[in-house]
Short mmCIF file of all heavy atoms in Angstrom, two decimals:
data_model
loop_
_atom_site.label_atom_id
_atom_site.label_comp_id
_atom_site.label_asym_id
_atom_site.label_seq_id
_atom_site.Cartn_x
_atom_site.Cartn_y
_atom_site.Cartn_z
N ASN A 110 -49.97 4.11 50.67
CA ASN A 110 -48.65 4.30 51.30
C ASN A 110 -48.00 2.97 51.66
O ASN A 110 -46.77 2.82 51.57
CB ASN A 110 -48.79 5.17 52.54
CG ASN A 110 -49.13 6.62 52.21
OD1 ASN A 110 -48.84 7.08 51.11
ND2 ASN A 110 -49.73 7.32 53.14
N ILE A 111 -48.80 1.99 52.07
CA ILE A 111 -48.27 0.67 52.38
C ILE A 111 -47.63 0.05 51.14
O ILE A 111 -46.52 -0.49 51.18
CB ILE A 111 -49.38 -0.24 52.94
CG1 ILE A 111 -49.77 0.22 54.34
CG2 ILE A 111 -48.95 -1.71 52.96
CD1 ILE A 111 -50.96 -0.53 54.93
N GLY A 112 -48.35 0.14 50.01
CA GLY A 112 -47.82 -0.42 48.77
C GLY A 112 -46.60 0.32 48.27
O GLY A 112 -45.64 -0.29 47.77
N GLN A 113 -46.60 1.65 48.40
CA GLN A 113 -45.45 2.44 47.94
C GLN A 113 -44.22 2.14 48.79
O GLN A 113 -43.10 2.03 48.26
CB GLN A 113 -45.79 3.92 47.99
CG GLN A 113 -46.77 4.36 46.90
CD GLN A 113 -47.17 5.82 47.01
OE1 GLN A 113 -47.12 6.41 48.09
NE2 GLN A 113 -47.59 6.40 45.89
N ASN A 114 -44.41 1.98 50.08
CA ASN A 114 -43.28 1.64 50.94
C ASN A 114 -42.71 0.27 50.59
O ASN A 114 -41.49 0.08 50.52
CB ASN A 114 -43.71 1.66 52.41
CG ASN A 114 -42.59 1.24 53.35
OD1 ASN A 114 -41.56 1.91 53.45
ND2 ASN A 114 -42.78 0.12 54.04
N ALA A 115 -43.61 -0.69 50.36
CA ALA A 115 -43.16 -2.04 49.97
C ALA A 115 -42.37 -1.98 48.68
O ALA A 115 -41.29 -2.61 48.55
CB ALA A 115 -44.36 -2.96 49.82
N PHE A 116 -42.87 -1.22 47.71
CA PHE A 116 -42.20 -1.15 46.41
C PHE A 116 -40.83 -0.49 46.52
O PHE A 116 -39.86 -0.92 45.88
CB PHE A 116 -43.07 -0.38 45.42
CG PHE A 116 -42.54 -0.37 44.02
CD1 PHE A 116 -42.35 -1.56 43.33
CD2 PHE A 116 -42.23 0.82 43.39
CE1 PHE A 116 -41.85 -1.56 42.03
CE2 PHE A 116 -41.73 0.83 42.10
CZ PHE A 116 -41.55 -0.36 41.42
N SER A 117 -40.72 0.56 47.34
CA SER A 117 -39.44 1.25 47.49
C SER A 117 -38.36 0.32 48.02
O SER A 117 -37.18 0.49 47.72
CB SER A 117 -39.59 2.46 48.42
OG SER A 117 -39.86 2.06 49.75
N ILE A 118 -38.76 -0.67 48.81
CA ILE A 118 -37.81 -1.63 49.37
C ILE A 118 -37.61 -2.83 48.44
O ILE A 118 -36.47 -3.25 48.19
CB ILE A 118 -38.30 -2.10 50.75
CG1 ILE A 118 -38.34 -0.91 51.73
CG2 ILE A 118 -37.41 -3.22 51.30
CD1 ILE A 118 -39.02 -1.22 53.04
N LEU A 119 -38.69 -3.34 47.87
CA LEU A 119 -38.62 -4.58 47.10
C LEU A 119 -38.11 -4.38 45.68
O LEU A 119 -37.63 -5.34 45.07
CB LEU A 119 -40.00 -5.24 47.05
CG LEU A 119 -40.53 -5.77 48.38
CD1 LEU A 119 -41.95 -6.27 48.23
CD2 LEU A 119 -39.63 -6.88 48.91
N GLU A 120 -38.19 -3.16 45.14
CA GLU A 120 -37.75 -2.97 43.76
C GLU A 120 -36.26 -3.26 43.63
O GLU A 120 -35.77 -3.65 42.57
CB GLU A 120 -38.08 -1.57 43.26
CG GLU A 120 -37.67 -1.28 41.81
CD GLU A 120 -38.06 -2.37 40.81
OE1 GLU A 120 -38.91 -3.24 41.10
OE2 GLU A 120 -37.47 -2.38 39.72
N GLY A 121 -35.51 -3.10 44.73
CA GLY A 121 -34.10 -3.48 44.71
C GLY A 121 -33.90 -4.96 44.45
O GLY A 121 -32.81 -5.39 44.08
N LYS A 122 -34.96 -5.75 44.64
CA LYS A 122 -34.92 -7.19 44.40
C LYS A 122 -35.61 -7.54 43.08
O LYS A 122 -36.10 -8.65 42.90
CB LYS A 122 -35.58 -7.93 45.55
CG LYS A 122 -34.92 -7.69 46.91
CD LYS A 122 -35.65 -8.43 48.02
CE LYS A 122 -35.01 -8.16 49.38
NZ LYS A 122 -35.73 -8.85 50.49
N ARG A 123 -35.70 -6.56 42.17
CA ARG A 123 -36.29 -6.78 40.84
C ARG A 123 -37.76 -7.18 40.93
O ARG A 123 -38.23 -8.07 40.21
CB ARG A 123 -35.49 -7.82 40.05
CG ARG A 123 -34.03 -7.44 39.84
CD ARG A 123 -33.22 -8.54 39.14
NE ARG A 123 -33.71 -8.77 37.79
CZ ARG A 123 -34.40 -9.86 37.43
NH1 ARG A 123 -34.74 -10.78 38.33
NH2 ARG A 123 -34.78 -10.02 36.18
N PHE A 124 -38.50 -6.52 41.80
CA PHE A 124 -39.89 -6.87 42.00
C PHE A 124 -40.70 -6.71 40.72
O PHE A 124 -41.54 -7.56 40.39
CB PHE A 124 -40.49 -6.01 43.12
CG PHE A 124 -41.84 -6.47 43.58
CD1 PHE A 124 -41.96 -7.45 44.54
CD2 PHE A 124 -43.00 -5.92 43.05
CE1 PHE A 124 -43.21 -7.89 44.98
CE2 PHE A 124 -44.25 -6.35 43.47
CZ PHE A 124 -44.36 -7.34 44.43
N LEU A 125 -40.47 -5.64 39.96
CA LEU A 125 -41.22 -5.43 38.73
C LEU A 125 -40.97 -6.54 37.72
O LEU A 125 -41.89 -6.95 37.01
CB LEU A 125 -40.87 -4.07 38.10
CG LEU A 125 -41.65 -2.85 38.59
CD1 LEU A 125 -41.18 -1.60 37.86
CD2 LEU A 125 -43.15 -3.03 38.35
N ASN A 126 -39.75 -7.02 37.64
CA ASN A 126 -39.44 -8.07 36.69
C ASN A 126 -40.22 -9.35 36.99
O ASN A 126 -40.62 -10.07 36.08
CB ASN A 126 -37.94 -8.38 36.69
CG ASN A 126 -37.13 -7.26 36.09
OD1 ASN A 126 -36.97 -6.20 36.69
ND2 ASN A 126 -36.61 -7.47 34.89
N LEU A 129 -44.41 -7.74 37.71
CA LEU A 129 -44.90 -6.88 36.62
C LEU A 129 -45.65 -5.65 37.10
O LEU A 129 -46.13 -4.85 36.29
CB LEU A 129 -45.79 -7.67 35.64
CG LEU A 129 -45.19 -8.98 35.10
CD1 LEU A 129 -46.13 -9.61 34.09
CD2 LEU A 129 -43.82 -8.76 34.49
N ASN A 130 -45.80 -5.47 38.41
CA ASN A 130 -46.52 -4.34 38.99
C ASN A 130 -45.93 -3.98 40.34
O ASN A 130 -45.33 -4.82 41.01
CB ASN A 130 -48.00 -4.70 39.22
CG ASN A 130 -48.69 -5.26 38.01
OD1 ASN A 130 -49.13 -4.52 37.14
ND2 ASN A 130 -48.78 -6.59 37.94
N SER A 131 -46.15 -2.74 40.74
CA SER A 131 -45.94 -2.36 42.12
C SER A 131 -47.05 -2.94 42.99
O SER A 131 -48.17 -3.15 42.49
CB SER A 131 -45.95 -0.83 42.24
OG SER A 131 -46.19 -0.42 43.57
N PRO A 132 -46.79 -3.23 44.28
CA PRO A 132 -47.88 -3.70 45.14
C PRO A 132 -49.05 -2.73 45.22
O PRO A 132 -50.19 -3.14 45.45
CB PRO A 132 -47.20 -3.87 46.52
CG PRO A 132 -45.76 -4.05 46.21
CD PRO A 132 -45.50 -3.21 44.99
N GLY A 133 -48.77 -1.42 45.01
CA GLY A 133 -49.83 -0.41 44.96
C GLY A 133 -50.84 -0.55 46.09
O GLY A 133 -50.51 -0.94 47.20
N LEU A 196 -43.80 -11.14 48.40
CA LEU A 196 -44.71 -10.16 48.98
C LEU A 196 -45.37 -10.70 50.25
O LEU A 196 -45.57 -9.95 51.22
CB LEU A 196 -45.77 -9.74 47.96
CG LEU A 196 -46.52 -8.45 48.29
CD1 LEU A 196 -45.56 -7.29 48.52
CD2 LEU A 196 -47.52 -8.10 47.19
N PHE A 199 -42.79 -10.26 52.93
CA PHE A 199 -42.58 -8.85 53.28
C PHE A 199 -43.72 -8.34 54.16
O PHE A 199 -43.47 -7.63 55.15
CB PHE A 199 -42.47 -8.00 52.02
CG PHE A 199 -42.21 -6.55 52.31
CD1 PHE A 199 -40.92 -6.09 52.51
CD2 PHE A 199 -43.26 -5.64 52.40
CE1 PHE A 199 -40.68 -4.76 52.80
CE2 PHE A 199 -43.02 -4.30 52.70
CZ PHE A 199 -41.73 -3.86 52.90
N TYR A 200 -44.95 -8.70 53.82
CA TYR A 200 -46.10 -8.23 54.60
C TYR A 200 -46.36 -9.10 55.83
O TYR A 200 -47.22 -8.76 56.66
CB TYR A 200 -47.35 -8.22 53.73
CG TYR A 200 -47.45 -7.03 52.77
CD1 TYR A 200 -48.13 -7.13 51.57
CD2 TYR A 200 -46.89 -5.80 53.10
CE1 TYR A 200 -48.24 -6.05 50.70
CE2 TYR A 200 -46.99 -4.72 52.23
CZ TYR A 200 -47.67 -4.84 51.04
OH TYR A 200 -47.78 -3.78 50.18
N ASP A 278 -44.70 -1.25 33.19
CA ASP A 278 -44.38 0.17 33.19
C ASP A 278 -43.43 0.46 34.34
O ASP A 278 -43.69 0.04 35.47
CB ASP A 278 -45.66 0.99 33.34
CG ASP A 278 -45.40 2.48 33.37
OD1 ASP A 278 -44.96 3.00 32.34
OD2 ASP A 278 -45.63 3.11 34.42
N PRO A 279 -42.32 1.18 34.10
CA PRO A 279 -41.36 1.43 35.18
C PRO A 279 -41.98 2.12 36.39
O PRO A 279 -41.51 1.95 37.52
CB PRO A 279 -40.31 2.33 34.50
CG PRO A 279 -40.41 2.00 33.06
CD PRO A 279 -41.85 1.70 32.81
N GLN A 280 -43.04 2.92 36.17
CA GLN A 280 -43.70 3.60 37.28
C GLN A 280 -44.99 2.91 37.72
O GLN A 280 -45.70 3.42 38.57
CB GLN A 280 -44.00 5.04 36.88
CG GLN A 280 -42.77 5.85 36.52
CD GLN A 280 -43.12 7.26 36.07
OE1 GLN A 280 -43.81 8.00 36.77
NE2 GLN A 280 -42.66 7.65 34.89
N SER A 281 -45.30 1.77 37.10
CA SER A 281 -46.50 1.00 37.43
C SER A 281 -47.78 1.84 37.27
O SER A 281 -48.74 1.67 38.01
CB SER A 281 -46.42 0.43 38.85
OG SER A 281 -47.17 -0.76 38.97
#
Side-chain angles (χ1 to χ4, degrees):
N110 291 336
I111 289 175
Q113 288 176 335
N114 177 64
F116 186 60
S117 67
I118 296 170
L119 293 174
E120 181 47 16
K122 300 178 181 179
R123 300 176 65 253
F124 191 86
L125 274 180
N126 290 72
L129 309 183
N130 308 278
S131 160
L196 197 54
F199 182 85
Y200 282 151
D278 179 66
Q280 300 178 54
S281 208

